[in-house]
């Protein structure tokens, strides 16, 4: 028995396939996705920045910004707090000045695209999503309906990437479907 | 002599006969419900605040304690504070014995109030139904209901089907996010006409000679030897042997004029009324899981509300997030409410205490008495609050019913925390 | 209300949890009873300008000390409650 | 069809090529595209549209917009019923079904109208003076009658089939009102390139000018604004409130006017718009004149009458008398004349008729009479004429329409929502926006611009209606005055003036002016009542938006939820979660199932999904110090790799939560919280880390969602786990109780806590959530069976472990028997408040166990404990917090909190449950029913 392997499940399990509403809204779960939260105990010094950069391929982004390394996207989610997102596991070597926490299982990541994706999100968040305000390089942590979410514009392609807590993921997905229903 | 008295009382008393008689004379024989008094130079007792509590206090001081040289000072118009803007739910279904006993005393006074005041306050015992949405909540309500019964207070624990028979148009479907498990019903609970309570007490107090003085804001206390000698007001200084504060949302401000700092924060609570409808709901329903409650006024408006807005405020108005929350809970509980319309929304300033229970009693200042901290639940207390406060002011000692509600309970640790939320007033 | 979170920018207050008077500071363990009573229970609750904590629970999870007028709800400033912590 | 007898030429908005059929009170009619229900009924000669609230007086159209007080209609559509809808705001569509309200058996013959006959007996506030006796229950009888008489339309009890939506929007400039003033603002702001949103409740922009005979002048402006890509025009959208932070809340009626409803699309949409600048251009509302019978069908606002003629080609009647106190009434006369409708006279209340308007009128053969004011209407089944006072003499004029103008009151509503009061401007005779918050400005008619000076004529006509909807007359205002209800706020509440669905848009000014005249106070000092949102009533559905029904709150799911649902788990709500109560087998009820499951754990092994626990990582150089201050129990001396039970208090000394603390490294802790308190504990820790001790270097991160958690409990747990991850890993020597160890299961590192809730040897597997289901399945495959939260409760009650019912926000550690855990020799949150006398009092209820004297008797949670079993009421010494049937004891047991617990030990008391008429004699025993020594942890 001890030679068994545990299998990883996507957040939504098998129950929630990608959905499209006309050509206006598409939602898919990005899976697998790996996430690390890095919290600095204070503002990082030069050494910390170098350490960070060496680990993730990008320097810690400024508040509200996304930094992109070769493998990971690094999102600013709070003062001296970042979440790194990647398609493969990341390694952040231990450091005195950073607390590092694996959140790969903790978040569901959804990709929302289509001409009405922004309209759908605007039903839930009071943050201004206008492309001139919420630009490609920015990230917000906000409230969408009853959900806490991290939202950014992925570098490749249009739309939004949304991180929500795993236990809320199904409800969030259902909410997006409800909010998209009028489009298809 | 008797006939004379009868005739006299017939001229000022309210009755169907009187309405009929006045109809014949084009309603020209009515006189002011209460005399709009000018301040005298001094009184045996001054009550600050012309809400239900202040007016009731004056009435009972005069009626039960023979203290008639009394003035009620109101900065605006009587009944214009929380008395005039509350959702009028009356019940005594409290968990903790101190609360249950006090509120039951209030409820008993309500049951006779219209006759006592000769003013129809429209106390309608249409029942208060608290919905339970989980086993744990059923147990919590059982605990409360049993405690009530053992204190001699009516209460019934209803199963889902019984609730359904009472209010079939609530959501009993699969769609309900919080299925209805059952509920706690207090049949003697209900609603009353808020404005009438203020007016009825004012009229009855005025008939005993109490001065009701509107547009008279208290701006300070005059003190000598640690005692109050009177109050400064926008209409000049008025002397007083003793002073009672009953200013609800402004309790901290008025107390601060006497150098007191209180365990109170003032928060805003909104309330809502729909357009008038033919009878839709004939009981009061509270939906804890959805943070929502609703009843229907005699005029036909659905009167409903929910949580505090959750921030300190003295502005008597709230914001959209709570409007949306309350409406979504309304829709969820009564799925047919969708096409019905909200007519008006408003806010009141809640004097939220650190344990969610009121403070009625003595203060560190000898002849200054405090009645406040009613949070969002003081309307139901109005008669009893005035009754015990009058006792406290007249005798200088709290009545056993209000003794537990002392200001020093925070210091001693004898808190009355019905909800168990701790020293975070916005959570009560 | 729009609360200007120093990290996230202006956000609707529905993203925050109100968390009480920002003027409190926790007394020393051996401070007088009255000081402790004051800290745990008594509030100025003044009508007018108020500095209060809002916890950005749907955002950066920081406690923000917000200056707000309690009569007009006008907000005149906000900063992290944990002042020593500098933003990167 | 009875033809549109009152349709005239003109009508710039209707499309005569598109006839539409509709029904009113079951009777078929025809109108045109572009009509409102009001205009279509008018064109069909229908004059009687409703009955008033109190006296059931017959009523017709009074206005043309959202200020309409009288014509309240019920619309039925697709199974939905919408009562109290203003006919003036219902755009006609084919097949519209509308019915009148507040009339029985019919609108024409309404029995309720007897209240009109007895109206002298039921003046304002009559109900305060009667219905009090003979007994104190009398009111309940009368109230039922009154409630039936009150109310307007009927509300359906069928679920609303429509959907609603919500939109957050942002614009630099938001303009309310797309009349000429709003359009100009929009155009100017639009030219600066910023985002502009222009809102109007009407079907198309243009505002007042659309009511003019020729409104072509506004067309170019509308076209120019429409062309601006940065300007969004929201039509059929009512801005109903202005909120803090320059937020405009509006509701858009998306489909109410469409002939065919798209069921997937929302019926209405709530707009929440954030602006940098708000411009209010809401125009003005025409006010009535006061005379006896001014509420009769046929009496209407002069401005509205123009609109019906010019916009819709609908004739309000065939012969009109104009009554006015300002110049605008003359335009109405000209429009009637232009439509070929005879104008009997213009009765101008002013001392002299204005020139050249009067001349122009005379040129059209219209009599202009100055110093003329209507005294009363002549009405018998229909309006026949008016009797007017002309310079002191009485004169009668025939007509079937009275078009009246008492002047125009700026629509100041939205300008006051943030708390300002409008100011009365003596010279203009009107209330104008004042003390505007920064960022808000007003333009156009709303500022009085272009409006005639207003002069409210006081009237002595007792039965002149002031508030049409609520049937408040001059006589009622006088009565309120006489009885001392003189403040406008008292006037409002005593008479219900301005409390109807129109909120007194056409009533308040007349009411307060009348009161001002009676008190002798200036109008400025009398003031207005408070304007509150919404500007016009808004459907509750739109306000509720998407978050209704199953979406009221999110449903949180554990990573194993799908399995529970698919495998017989009986799911029950637990806060935001749903958890399996147990897994009843076919034919088994939940009570039997939970007992079976609990036995299984005591005797063998079981697994339970505890993923809902809160989980927090606390890291940093000061992590130990921080947690030591957070927990009242000891933390600092915890060794790396070990774990222990911990308790934390609120600052007032009351227990906040309990859970497990494990030390992963020198600066790294992993702590769990209860399901219910998870969010609170996280916030509590963040508060103290950020606010109380910002100098501590510590990071707090919730990993509640990172880890699924499975408790493996029972004497065979070790063997079971060994099968999956090797026996060595679970050797008691290297993995003692209580501790934490990282163990690889199927290639995944799992944090295994040796902790026990059941009292048996047990392990909690905290596994990255993605793998939790797979691990659960592996455990099942290895032979484990699941148990639910009910069995879990039995196990913990037998052990006397406290949980939510005991940690109820009032209990201290001592109350819960946890005093020995509290380290008074260190500083921690809550320490100081524990030292108050009331907290040390022995009479405080504290934790005990209860066993029934008769072992067959069930003890219910929520029962109260008394010393006696007699008497309906009795003093209570405590209550049952948790109870169950104990499989190990073979009888029911319970936990309770009771006063003077130490003294009560072994005494017999009574668990009373009067709600079910139950009394059970119980013995007070230890709260630990099972294995007090803790030997089972090591079996
Ligand atoms: C929206 C809402 C819903 C509520 N729902 C309920 C409910 O369903 N059931 C229930 O039991 N309770 C409810 N309440 C609470 C209840 O309304 C109050 O607790 C109660 O009315 C308080 O009465 P009062 O007489 O103490 O205060 P108020 O009626 O507020 O009277 C205090 C008076 O003091 C005056 N005042 C203040 N300062 C001064 C001064 N310096 N000088 C002179 N006068 C001054 C004020 O103008 C005011 O008129 C609700 C409250 C609100 C706002
Ligand atoms: N009788 C008159 O003489 C009279 C009356 C009004 C306007 N005017 C004149 O017409 C011209 C234009 O005036 P204006 O633009 O100031 O007023 P307006 O009456 O033309 O326009 C106001 C617009 O605001 C809309 N509106 C009002 N409240 C609203 C709300 N809460 N939500 C959404 N829409 C709302 C109305 O539907 C209307 O279209 C001016 O020259 C003015 O003097 C004359
Ligand atoms: C029980 C109750 C019923 C009410 N019903 C109505 C109503 O039918 N119509 C109305 O306009 N306002 C109604 N109101 C609200 C009042 O108009 C008013 O908003 C409230 O008393 C607060 O006062 P303010 O808005 O003047 O500050 C009601 C208020 C209460 C407390
Ligand atoms: Zn933030």
């Amino acid at each position: 028995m001890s030679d068994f392997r545990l299998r990883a499940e996507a957040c939504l399990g098998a129950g929630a396939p990608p959905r499209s509403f006309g050509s206006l809204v598409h939602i898919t779960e990005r899976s697998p996705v790996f996430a690390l939260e890095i919290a600095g105990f204070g503002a990082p010094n030069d050494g910390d920045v170098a350490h960070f950069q060496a680990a993730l391929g990008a320097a810690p982004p400024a508040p509200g910004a996304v930094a992109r390394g070769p493998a990971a996207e690094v999102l600013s989610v709070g003062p001296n707090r970042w979440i790194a997102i990647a398609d493969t596991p990341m390694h952040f070597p231990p450091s005195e000045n950073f607390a590092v926490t694996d959140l790969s299982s903790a978040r569901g990541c959804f990709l929302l695209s289509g001409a009405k994706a922004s309209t759908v999100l605007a039903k839930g968040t009071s943050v201004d999503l206008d492309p001139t305000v919420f630009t490609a390089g920015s990230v917000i942590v906000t409230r969408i309906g009853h959900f806490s979410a991290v939202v950014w514009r992925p570098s490749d392609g249009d739309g939004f990437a949304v991180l929500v807590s795993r236990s809320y993921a199904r409800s969030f997905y259902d909410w997006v479907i409800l909010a998209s229903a009028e489009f298809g | 002599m008797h006939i004379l008295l009868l005739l006299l009382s017939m001229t000022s008393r309210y009755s169907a006969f009187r309405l009929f008689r006045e109809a014949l004379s084009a309603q020209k024989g009515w006189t002011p419900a209460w005399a709009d008094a000018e301040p005298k130079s001094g009184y045996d007792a001054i009550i600050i605040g012309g809400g239900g509590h202040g007016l009731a206090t004056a009435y009972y001081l005069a009626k039960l304690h023979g203290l008639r040289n009394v003035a009620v000072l109101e900065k605006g118009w009587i009944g214009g504070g929380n008395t005039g803007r509350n959702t009028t739910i009356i019940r005594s279904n409290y968990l903790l014995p101190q609360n249950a006993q006090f509120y039951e005393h209030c409820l008993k006074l309500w049951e006779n109030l219209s006759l006592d005041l000769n003013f129809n306050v429209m106390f309608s015992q249409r029942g208060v139904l608290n919905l339970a949405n989980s086993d744990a909540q059923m147990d919590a309500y059982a605990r409360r209901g049993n405690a009530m019964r053992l204190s001699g207070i009516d209460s019934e624990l209803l199963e889902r089907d019984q609730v359904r028979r009472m209010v079939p148009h609530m959501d009993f479907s699969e769609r309900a996010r919080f299925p209805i498990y059952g509920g706690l019903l207090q049949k003697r609970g209900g609603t009353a006409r808020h404005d009438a309570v203020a007016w009825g007490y004012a009229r009855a107090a005025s008939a005993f000679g109490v001065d009701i003085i509107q547009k008279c804001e208290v701006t300070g206390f005059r003190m000598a030897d640690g005692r109050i000698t009177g109050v400064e007001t926008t209409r000049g200084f008025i002397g007083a042997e003793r002073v009672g504060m009953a200013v609800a949302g402004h309790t901290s401000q008025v107390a601060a004029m006497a150098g007191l700092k209180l365990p109170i924060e003032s928060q805003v609570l909104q309330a809502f009324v729909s357009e008038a409808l033919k009878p839709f709901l004939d009981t009061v329903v509270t939906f804890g899981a959805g943070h929502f409650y609703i009843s229907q006024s005699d005029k036909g408006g659905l009167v409903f509300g929910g949580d505090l807005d959750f921030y300190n405020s003295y502005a008597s108005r709230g914001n959209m997030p709570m409007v949306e929350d309350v409406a979504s809970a309304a829709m969820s509980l009564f799925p047919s409410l969708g096409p019905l319309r909200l007519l008006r929304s408003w806010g009141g300033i809640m004097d939220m205490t650190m344990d969610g229970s009121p403070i009625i009693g003595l203060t560190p200042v000898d002849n200054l008495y405090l009645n406040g901290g009613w949070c969002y639940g003081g309307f139901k207390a109005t008669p009893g609050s005035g009754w015990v406060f009058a006792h406290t002011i007249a005798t200088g000692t709290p009545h056993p019913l209000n003794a537990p509600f002392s200001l020093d309970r925070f210091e001693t640790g004898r808190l009355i925390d019905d909800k168990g939320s701790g020293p975070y007033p916005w959570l009560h | 209300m729009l609360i200007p979170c120093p990290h996230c920018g202006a956000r609707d207050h529905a993203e925050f949890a109100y968390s009480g008077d920002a003027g409190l500071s926790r007394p020393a363990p051996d401070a007088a009873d009255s000081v402790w009573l004051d800290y745990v229970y008594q509030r100025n609750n003044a009508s007018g300008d108020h500095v209060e904590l809002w916890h950005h629970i749907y955002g950066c999870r920081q406690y923000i000390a917000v200056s707000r007028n309690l009569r007009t709800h006008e907000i005149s400033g906000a900063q992290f409650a944990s002042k020593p912590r500098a933003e990167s | 069809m009875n033809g549109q007898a009152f349709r005239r030429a003109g009508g710039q908005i209707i499309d005569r090529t598109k006839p539409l059929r509709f029904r009113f009170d079951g009777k078929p009619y025809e109108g045109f595209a572009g009509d409102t229900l009001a205009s279509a009924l008018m064109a069909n000669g229908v004059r009687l549209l409703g009955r008033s609230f109190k006296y059931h007086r017959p009523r017709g159209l009074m206005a043309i917009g959202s200020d309409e007080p009288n014509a309240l209609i019920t619309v039925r559509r697709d199974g939905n019923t919408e009562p109290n809808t203003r006919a003036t705001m219902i755009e006609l569509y084919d097949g519209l079904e509308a019915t009148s309200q507040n009339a029985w058996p019919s609108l024409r013959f309404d029995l309720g109208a007897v209240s009109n006959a007895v109206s002298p007996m039921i003046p304002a506030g009559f109900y305060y003076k009667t219905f009090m006796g003979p007994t104190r229950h009398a009111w309940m009888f009368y109230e039922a009658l009154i409630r039936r008489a009150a109310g307007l339309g009927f509300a359906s009890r069928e679920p609303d089939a429509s959907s609603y939506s919500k939109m957050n929007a942002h614009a630099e400039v938001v303009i309310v009102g797309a009349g000429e003033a709003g359009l100009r603002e929009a155009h100017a702001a639009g030219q600066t390139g910023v985002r502009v949103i222009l809102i109007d409740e009407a079907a198309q922009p243009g505002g007042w000018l659309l009511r003019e005979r020729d409104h072509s002048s506004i067309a170019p402006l509308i076209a120019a604004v429409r062309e601006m890509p940065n300007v969004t025009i929201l039509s059929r959208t009512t801005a109903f409130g202005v909120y803090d932070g320059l937020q405009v809340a509006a509701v858009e009626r998306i489909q109410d006017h469409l002939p065919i409803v798209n069921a997937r699309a929302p019926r209405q949409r709530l707009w929440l718009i954030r602006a940098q600048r708000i411009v209010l251009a809401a125009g003005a509302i025409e006010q009535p004149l006061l005379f006896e019978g001014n509420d009769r069908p046929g009496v209407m606002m002069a401005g509205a009458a123009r609109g019906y003629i010019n916009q819709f080609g609908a004739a309000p009647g065939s012969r009109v008398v104009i009554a006015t106190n300002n110049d605008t009434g003359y335009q109405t006369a000209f429009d009637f004349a232009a439509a070929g409708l005879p104008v009997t006279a213009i009765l101008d209340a002013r001392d002299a008729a204005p020139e050249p308007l009067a001349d122009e009128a005379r040129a059209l053969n219209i009599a202009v009479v100055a110093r003329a004011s209507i005294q009363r209407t002549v009405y018998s089944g229909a309006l026949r004429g008016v009797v007017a006072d002309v310079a002191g003499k009485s004169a009668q004029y025939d007509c079937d329409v009275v078009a009246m103008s008492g002047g125009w009151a700026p629509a100041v509503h939205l300008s006051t929502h943030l708390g300002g009061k409008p100011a009365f401007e003596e010279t203009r005779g009107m209330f104008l926006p004042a003390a505007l918050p920064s960022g808000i400005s007003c333009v156009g008619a709303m500022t009085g611009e272009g409006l005639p000076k207003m002069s409210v004529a006081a009237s002595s006509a007792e039965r002149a209606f002031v508030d049409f909807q609520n049937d408040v007359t001059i006589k009622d205002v006088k009565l309120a005055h006489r009885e001392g209800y003189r403040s406008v706020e008292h006037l409002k509440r005593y008479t219900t003036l301005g409390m109807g669905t129109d909120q007194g848009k056409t009533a308040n000014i007349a009411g307060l002016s009348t009161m001002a005249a009676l008190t002798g106070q200036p109008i400025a000092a009398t003031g207005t009542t408070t304007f509150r949102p919404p500007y016009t009533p808004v459907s509750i559905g739109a306000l509720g938006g998407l978050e209704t029904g199953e979406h009221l709150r999110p449903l949180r799911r554990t990573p194993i939820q799908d399995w529970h649902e698919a495998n017989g788990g009986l799911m029950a709500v637990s806060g935001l979660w749903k958890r399996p109560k147990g897994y009843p087998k076919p034919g088994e009820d939940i009570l039997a199932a939970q007992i079976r499951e609990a036995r299984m754990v005591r005797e063998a092994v079981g697994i339970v999904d505890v993923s809902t626990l809160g989980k927090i990582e606390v890291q940093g150089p000061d992590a130990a110090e921080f947690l030591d201050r957070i927990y009242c129990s000891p933390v600092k001396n915890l060794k790396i790799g070990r774990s222990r039970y911990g308790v934390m208090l609120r600052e007032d000394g009351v227990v906040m939560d309990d859970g497990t603390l494990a030390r992963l490294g020198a600066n790294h802790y992993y702590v769990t919280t209860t399901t219910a308190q998870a969010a609170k504990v996280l916030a509590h820790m963040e508060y103290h880390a950020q606010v109380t001790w910002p100098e501590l270097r510590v990071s707090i991160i919730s990993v509640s969602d990172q880890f699924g958690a499975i408790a493996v409990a029972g004497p065979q747990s070790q063997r079971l786990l060994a099968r999956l991850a090797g026996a060595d890993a679970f050797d008691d020597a290297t993995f003692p109780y209580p501790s934490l160890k990282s163990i690889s299961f199927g290639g995944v590192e799992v944090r295994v806590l040796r902790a026990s809730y059941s009292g048996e040897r047990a392990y909690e597997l905290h596994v990255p959530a993605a793998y939790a289901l797979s691990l659960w399945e592996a455990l099942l495959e290895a032979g484990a069976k699941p148990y639910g939260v009910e069995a879990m409760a039995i196990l913990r009650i037998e052990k006397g472990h406290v949980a939510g019912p005991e940690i109820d926000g009032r209990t201290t550690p001592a109350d819960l028997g946890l005093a020995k855990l509290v380290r008074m020799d260190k500083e921690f949150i809550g320490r100081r408040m524990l030292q108050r006398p009331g907290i040390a009092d022995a009479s405080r209820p504290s934790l005990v166990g209860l066993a029934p004297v008769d072992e067959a008797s069930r003890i219910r949670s929520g029962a109260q404990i008394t010393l006696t079993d007699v008497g309906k009421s009795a003093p209570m010494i405590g209550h049952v917090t948790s109870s169950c049937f104990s499989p190990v004891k073979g009888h029911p047991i319970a936990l309770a909190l009771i006063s003077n617990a130490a003294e009560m030990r072994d005494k017999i008391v009574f668990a009373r449950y009067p709600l079910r008429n139950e009394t059970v004699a119980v013995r007070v025993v230890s709260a630990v029913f099972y294995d007090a020594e803790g030997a089972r942890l090591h079996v």
Side-chain angles (χ1 to χ4, degrees), chain D residues 892-935:
Chain D
I893 59 169
L895 300 178
L897 291 165
I898 66 170
S899 298
N900 301 309
E903 282 170 36
M904 297 306 297
R905 189 62 181 268
D906 294 328
K907 301 230 161 74
I908 291 176
V909 295
F910 300 90
R912 296 183 61 174
Y913 205 104
L915 292 170
R916 294 178 188 273
N917 276 323
E918 280 178 13
T919 297
V920 178
V922 293
R923 189 180 307 278
V924 179
V925 298
S926 158
V928 185
F929 292 90
Y930 176 68
D931 185 30
E933 326 65 57

Side-chain angles (χ1 to χ4, degrees), chain C residues 12 26 29 31 61 63 73, chain D residues 244 274 651 683 686 690 832:
Chain C
D12 194 291
R26 194 166 187 272
R61 295 210 64 94
Y63 281 86
H73 295 174
Chain D
D244 288 318
R274 295 278 179 199
E651 193 67 280
E686 288 171 332
Q690 294 175 31
R832 189 57 182 267

Side-chain angles (χ1 to χ4, degrees), chain D residues 242 280 411-420 422 433-437 440 442 446:
Chain D
V242 174
L280 301 175
V412 297
H413 306 64
L414 295 174
S415 75
T416 69
H417 283 177
L418 290 180
L436 294 172
I440 301 184
C442 302
M446 192 173 163

